[in-house]
Amino acid sequence: MHGLTQHDKKIVEIFSNLGMPKNLAKTLMYISQVDECRSADIENGANLRQPEVSVAMQHLAKKGWIEKRDKKKEGKGRPIYIYKLTSPLDNIIESVEREKLQEIESVKKNITELKSLLNIK
């Protein structure tokens, strides 16, 4: 079974510092290192609880970074889904970078407008 290394944990910490929820960052790091996996694999490998993985997977799917497929199984019970990353990590990092740069520009614009309204140079 694959787990997060110290290097992975440092990457998770940086994603978290950039505003990404830690559970999402852990899920992203785990799923980026396997071809495909089940949510139970992520729970074990990223040391997360099922609800945390579920929320993270919904967010990743909404961003278009993962895809989910049904795994055929025998009998009754809960369906099993298989997940895989559909966007390479470098594309995901570029997306995060664009988002953060837009936030910076928005903050600069607001500060400039505030100074203007208060006649501060």
Side-chain angles (χ1 to χ4, degrees):
M1 179 183 65
H2 184 273
L4 298 181
T5 64
Q6 284 306 115
H7 182 258
D8 298 336
K9 290 175 184 175
K10 180 64 179 169
I11 293 168
V12 166
E13 183 182 323
I14 293 170
F15 271 129
S16 182
N17 291 343
L18 289 169
M20 182 181 285
K22 205 164 235 160
N23 297 339
L24 181 61
K26 284 180 170 185
T27 300
L28 180 61
M29 281 311 299
Y30 180 84
I31 200 171
S32 72
Q33 297 176 20
V34 296
D35 289 333
E36 51 182 31
C37 60
R38 302 168 305 136
S39 60
D41 299 327
I42 300 167
E43 290 168 35
N44 294 325
N47 194 27
L48 295 170
R49 295 176 301 119
Q50 187 278 326
E52 296 169 324
V53 173
S54 183
V55 168
M57 297 311 274
Q58 288 173 8
H59 186 81
L60 292 172
K62 190 173 154 185
K63 291 267 194 189
W65 295 343
I66 62 161
E67 69 180 29
K68 166 175 100 168
R69 68 175 172 83
D70 288 339
K71 179 180 181 182
K72 302 291 182 221
K73 67 175 204 159
E74 301 291 323
K76 298 181 181 181
R78 299 179 68 127
I80 296 174
Y81 298 110
I82 303 295
Y83 300 96
K84 75 177 196 176
L85 203 60
T86 57
S87 186
L89 269 183
D90 54 344
N91 289 1
I92 291 170
I93 292 168
E94 286 174 12
S95 175
V96 169
E97 181 181 22
R98 277 192 306 277
E99 186 179 300
K100 291 300 165 186
L101 290 173
Q102 286 173 347
E103 287 176 23
I104 290 167
E105 287 307 312
S106 178
V107 167
K108 284 181 177 179
K109 181 180 173 217
N110 286 327
I111 289 172
T112 300
E113 186 176 0
L114 189 60
K115 284 180 174 181
S116 174
L117 290 168
L118 294 170
N119 293 320
I120 299 172
K121 304 233 186 270

